[in-house]
Amino acid sequence: MTLWTQKPINGVLLDITGVLYESGNGGGNAINGSISAVLELNKLGIPVRFCTNETQCTRRKLVKKLHELGFSMEESHVFPPIPAMCKILKKRGLRPHTLVSSAAMEDFSEIDCSNPNCVVVGDATTELSYDNLNRAFQMLIAMENPILFSLGKGKYYKDAGELCLDVGCYMKALEYACDIEAEVVGKPSSNFFNAALEDMGVDASETVMIGDDVVNDVGGAQTCGMRGVLVRTGKFRPQDEQHSQVTPDGIVDNLAQAVKLIIESKN
Amino acid sequence: MTLWTQKPINGVLLDITGVLYESGNGGGNAINGSISAVLELNKLGIPVRFCTNETQCTRRKLVKKLHELGFSMEESHVFPPIPAMCKILKKRGLRPHTLVSSAAMEDFSEIDCSNPNCVVVGDATTELSYDNLNRAFQMLIAMENPILFSLGKGKYYKDAGELCLDVGCYMKALEYACDIEAEVVGKPSSNFFNAALEDMGVDASETVMIGDDVVNDVGGAQTCGMRGVLVRTGKFRPQDEQHSQVTPDGIVDNLAQAVKLIIESKN
């Protein structure tokens, strides 16, 4: 009995970058077999949701890019951190100072950002300067009860073939500077995965999460009661197969192989 | 019996920034009474060494600036991290990629920086860009045994009246990204304090360290067996008096008050 057959698979969560496509100059390239893999899941009638920590552009632009690469999905089936963050800000009456790509700021359009009483750090990439990070620090240290949100906590991502520092590193810098702990919105937060599960209407025990981040995709999904499968694409590194804290339920070469195994488990 | 009289004081270590002078535009300003306080220690015949985590310029330029502000000290009595770092690099045959202010690079002039096999992070301040930090990360992650040195591990410093992120935050970011632990050169490392004690020829138990950083100056000195005194100048914040991990042996308004108490203890 394998992970694919131990319990029926009635829902699939997919990471986007490094699973559907490799990012890079000019928008990146679809990973071999990924476009048809998603179509096959649709044909089988298995609900799919896309769980991403992508914050470099708006959800609308992200989906547009995926459509241009050849993928088909509804925008509402894509779960990035910023819409989830906005819900939390509204619910708690918080006004953020954002350290987020300007290309993604449109998704904060309904949020009052005046007179900030919290800080939100996303992946600011090249816009991240000493001054920007310092300003976020100065706002936090001046607050009586500093509140820091981090849109994911990844260590690094892969862009145009190179590993690059991810938002988790800036989160750690600000946590250390202010002696605080950030609230993470995005993977591996259980609340974040659960919103996608709820939207599918499928129980965690019948769902598989497929991603290239052994800690945030695979480990995070396992903590929620899902099975977690690691792909050998994206930022995958051989040492991830022997990770000290996370043992994936399965490791596959790519999304196409994972979907093939899911289909076989149905026969 | 107070900290000043429990054991004779036969040596004094002084932090520089925030104790001797407040940094700021145009080189900063001497703190009231600090210039004569240093002179009075000299008159008493108590050896003094200056233990600083300053890495924004060479030791020579730092001492020149202090002389211009009115202080008198020999260059060899000033202990910044870079000369200590260079000794370690030579001893271990390491070639650093440095993330350090260009104004301080002259102090690395005897070090081979080609084909780096370790990373040294200092306070890069405004030169610290996403690209610079990312390059340091990429070098580390590509090493079989990544070695990271951090020139101090301060959370923040004060410049021109504003608190600013210090090197410890960048150290934490790189530690997290690469799953490694940095070796700290500078305060609060015991090796660093011990080099200054050895140079004075005074035992730790007869030495007082005076600084504005409750963790790295006061706590670090106490770990070495010295008494640690906190000043209410520099980056001092009222909450430092109730720090969760460090209880200073004494808290004084400024260096002048500390030296007055040392002089009284001698009579």
Side-chain angles (χ1 to χ4, degrees):
Chain A
M1 193 160 75
T2 72
L3 88 111
W4 310 100
T5 54
Q6 66 191 215
K7 244 199 147 178
I9 294 171
N10 291 320
V12 173
L13 299 188
L14 297 181
D15 181 28
I16 293 180
T17 312
V19 174
L20 298 189
Y21 81 107
E22 300 273 10
S23 69
N25 298 331
N29 298 292
I31 291 170
N32 239 340
S34 287
I35 294 172
S36 53
V38 174
L39 286 173
E40 282 165 35
L41 288 172
N42 292 342
K43 248 189 278 172
L44 263 184
I46 297 180
V48 178
R49 296 294 181 273
F50 301 87
C51 265
T52 175
N53 277 359
E54 186 64 52
T55 59
Q56 288 188 31
C57 65
T58 61
R59 173 159 69 174
R60 193 175 53 78
K61 281 184 215 151
L62 173 62
V63 172
K64 185 165 174 277
K65 181 169 80 174
L66 291 168
H67 286 172
E68 284 166 3
L69 286 170
F71 293 96
S72 62
M73 74 262 293
E74 293 177 30
E75 187 175 324
S76 66
H77 288 178
V78 175
F79 288 75
I82 295 179
M85 183 73 255
C86 291
K87 274 188 199 167
I88 293 170
L89 293 168
K90 278 185 187 169
K91 196 173 162 192
R92 289 166 56 179
L94 291 169
R95 301 175 308 274
H97 170 76
T98 58
L99 197 59
V100 173
S101 254
S102 55
M105 281 307 295
E106 194 184 311
D107 278 351
F108 281 99
S109 59
E110 291 181 14
I111 300 296
D112 177 9
C113 295
S114 65
N115 189 18
N117 54 8
C118 70
V119 167
V120 174
V121 57
D123 55 21
T125 61
T126 49
E127 288 167 65
L128 192 108
S129 62
Y130 179 80
D131 282 345
N132 284 342
L133 197 61
N134 213 31
R135 198 167 329 127
F137 156 69
Q138 290 173 340
M139 288 195 160
L140 283 169
I141 199 88
M143 290 174 191
E144 199 175 343
N145 295 302
I147 300 174
L148 172 64
F149 293 100
S150 185
L151 303 180
K153 56 185 275 191
K155 290 173 186 283
Y156 50 80
Y157 62 96
K158 198 173 191 177
D159 186 50
E162 284 197 325
L163 298 183
C164 301
L165 286 172
D166 202 358
V167 62
C169 305
Y170 301 103
M171 174 192 87
K172 285 288 168 189
L174 293 172
E175 283 185 340
Y176 179 70
C178 303
D179 266 325
I180 55 175
E181 203 173 320
E183 301 179 38
V184 176
V185 177
K187 299 177 287 187
S189 148
S190 295
N191 286 342
F192 190 71
F193 282 121
N194 287 337
L197 288 173
E198 208 171 287
D199 191 61
M200 288 198 296
V202 179
D203 194 76
S205 67
E206 299 184 356
T207 302
V208 170
M209 166 79 205
I210 301 169
D212 67 342
D213 188 316
V214 66
V215 171
N216 294 296
D217 292 332
V218 176
Q222 289 173 331
T223 301
C224 285
M226 289 180 261
R227 281 160 279 179
V229 170
L230 183 67
V231 289
R232 293 195 187 92
T233 51
K235 68 178 160 189
F236 166 82
R237 302 168 75 214
Q239 47 267 61
D240 296 339
E241 300 202 21
Q242 277 84 40
H243 195 273
S244 60
Q245 274 122 53
V246 178
T247 306
D249 292 289
I251 304 178
V252 293
D253 285 341
N254 50 38
L255 177 61
Q257 191 185 6
V259 169
K260 188 166 166 279
L261 291 163
I262 290 172
I263 292 170
E264 284 172 10
S265 77
K266 293 285 178 187
N267 298 323
Chain B
M1 196 158 78
T2 73
L3 88 112
W4 309 101
T5 55
Q6 65 191 215
K7 242 197 149 177
I9 295 170
N10 291 320
V12 173
L13 299 188
L14 297 181
D15 181 28
I16 294 181
T17 312
V19 173
L20 298 189
Y21 80 108
E22 300 273 9
S23 68
N25 297 330
N29 298 293
I31 291 171
N32 238 340
S34 287
I35 294 172
S36 53
V38 175
L39 286 173
E40 282 166 36
L41 288 173
N42 292 341
K43 249 190 278 172
L44 262 184
I46 299 179
V48 178
R49 296 295 181 272
F50 301 88
C51 265
T52 175
N53 278 359
E54 186 65 51
T55 59
Q56 287 188 31
C57 64
T58 61
R59 172 159 70 174
R60 193 174 53 77
K61 282 184 213 150
L62 173 62
V63 173
K64 185 165 176 276
K65 182 168 79 174
L66 291 168
H67 286 173
E68 284 166 2
L69 286 171
F71 293 96
S72 61
M73 73 262 292
E74 293 177 31
E75 186 174 326
S76 65
H77 289 179
V78 175
F79 289 76
I82 295 179
M85 183 73 255
C86 290
K87 273 188 198 166
I88 294 170
L89 293 168
K90 278 185 187 168
K91 195 172 163 191
R92 289 166 56 179
L94 291 170
R95 300 175 308 274
H97 170 76
T98 57
L99 196 59
V100 172
S101 256
S102 55
M105 282 307 294
E106 195 186 311
D107 278 351
F108 282 98
S109 60
E110 291 181 15
I111 300 296
D112 177 8
C113 295
S114 65
N115 190 18
N117 54 8
C118 70
V119 167
V120 173
V121 57
D123 55 20
T125 61
T126 49
E127 287 167 66
L128 192 108
S129 62
Y130 179 82
D131 282 345
N132 284 343
L133 197 62
N134 213 32
R135 199 168 328 126
F137 157 69
Q138 289 173 341
M139 288 195 159
L140 283 169
I141 200 88
M143 290 174 191
E144 199 174 341
N145 294 304
I147 300 174
L148 172 63
F149 292 100
S150 186
L151 303 179
K153 56 184 276 193
K155 292 172 184 282
Y156 49 80
Y157 62 97
K158 198 172 189 176
D159 187 50
E162 284 196 325
L163 298 182
C164 300
L165 287 172
D166 202 359
V167 62
C169 305
Y170 301 104
M171 173 192 87
K172 285 287 168 189
L174 292 172
E175 283 186 339
Y176 179 71
C178 303
D179 266 326
I180 55 174
E181 203 172 320
E183 301 179 38
V184 176
V185 176
K187 299 175 289 186
S189 148
S190 295
N191 285 342
F192 189 71
F193 282 120
N194 287 336
L197 288 173
E198 207 170 290
D199 192 61
M200 288 199 297
V202 179
D203 194 77
S205 67
E206 299 185 357
T207 302
V208 171
M209 165 80 205
I210 302 170
D212 67 341
D213 187 316
V214 66
V215 171
N216 294 296
D217 292 332
V218 177
Q222 289 173 332
T223 301
C224 284
M226 288 180 262
R227 282 160 278 179
V229 171
L230 183 67
V231 288
R232 294 195 186 94
T233 52
K235 68 178 161 188
F236 167 83
R237 302 168 75 215
Q239 46 267 60
D240 295 339
E241 301 202 19
Q242 277 84 41
H243 194 273
S244 60
Q245 274 122 52
V246 178
T247 305
D249 292 289
I251 304 177
V252 293
D253 285 341
N254 50 38
L255 177 60
Q257 191 185 8
V259 169
K260 188 166 166 277
L261 290 164
I262 290 173
I263 292 170
E264 285 172 10
S265 78
K266 293 284 177 189
N267 296 325

